[in-house]
Amino acid sequence: MGTAGVGWTRAALGTGLTLLTGVLLTGCGESGAKDGTTTASRTGSGTPSPSGSPSPEVTPPEDLCAQLVSYWSREALDQDSYGDYQSMGLSNGQYEILVKVVDAARAEEKRKGEEAAELLIDRRARELCAERYRDGAPSGGPWQ
């Protein structure tokens, strides 16, 4: 049993790995313009944008909270239960807001009808979410 084939196989493997590493590293670099700027510096965001256009605006947390709570409040209004907050994509604190909003909307619906309940959902979700995020993000952990 000879070792001549083993040396050649190791050399081929080493060359193949070197080529593969070079290709991967070349593909991972930022593309630069002729003026030497990168995609990230041209967009001003610090993060590369594939199209070279600016990143979209970020929705403020209080607005996102109000949108989520309003949506799920409408879904829960006609049901006996609220569902699981995690499956709704809500934090524990947002879920607490949802419960308050739905309870108030059910009472409003009995007094003044469905349209009044719909208006109350939007108003209370916006108010309670604005209050929750008035000082930035809550500090009780990601589930809060």
Side-chain angles (χ1 to χ4, degrees):
M1 199 190 244
T3 59
V6 174
W8 183 85
T9 306
R10 286 185 185 156
L13 182 60
T15 303
L17 288 175
T18 302
L19 288 172
L20 179 60
T21 303
V23 168
L24 291 175
L25 290 175
T26 303
C28 292
E30 287 187 358
S31 61
K34 291 181 182 180
D35 64 359
T37 61
T38 63
T39 305
S41 65
R42 287 192 309 272
T43 62
S45 66
T47 10
S49 174
S51 65
S53 62
S55 298
E57 293 293 318
V58 175
T59 303
E62 62 273 11
D63 291 348
L64 183 58
C65 171
Q67 291 170 6
L68 288 169
V69 169
S70 292
Y71 173 82
W72 287 112
S73 293
R74 286 181 173 79
E75 292 291 315
L77 187 59
D78 296 327
Q79 301 173 10
D80 290 334
S81 68
Y82 297 98
D84 176 48
Y85 73 95
Q86 292 175 331
S87 67
M88 295 178 194
L90 300 175
S91 68
N92 186 45
Q94 292 167 337
Y95 186 75
E96 290 173 4
I97 293 171
L98 171 85
V99 171
K100 290 177 186 177
V101 170
V102 172
D103 288 347
R106 286 181 179 152
E108 185 76 359
E109 186 176 41
K110 287 179 184 177
R111 283 192 309 270
K112 298 182 181 177
E114 186 177 337
E115 189 175 325
E118 293 281 330
L119 293 172
L120 181 134
I121 286 172
D122 290 333
R123 185 179 71 249
R124 287 300 290 157
R126 197 171 42 254
E127 291 169 355
L128 293 172
C129 287
E131 180 181 319
R132 176 166 178 73
Y133 291 95
R134 72 181 172 274
D135 296 325
S139 61
W143 58 91
Q144 296 293 321

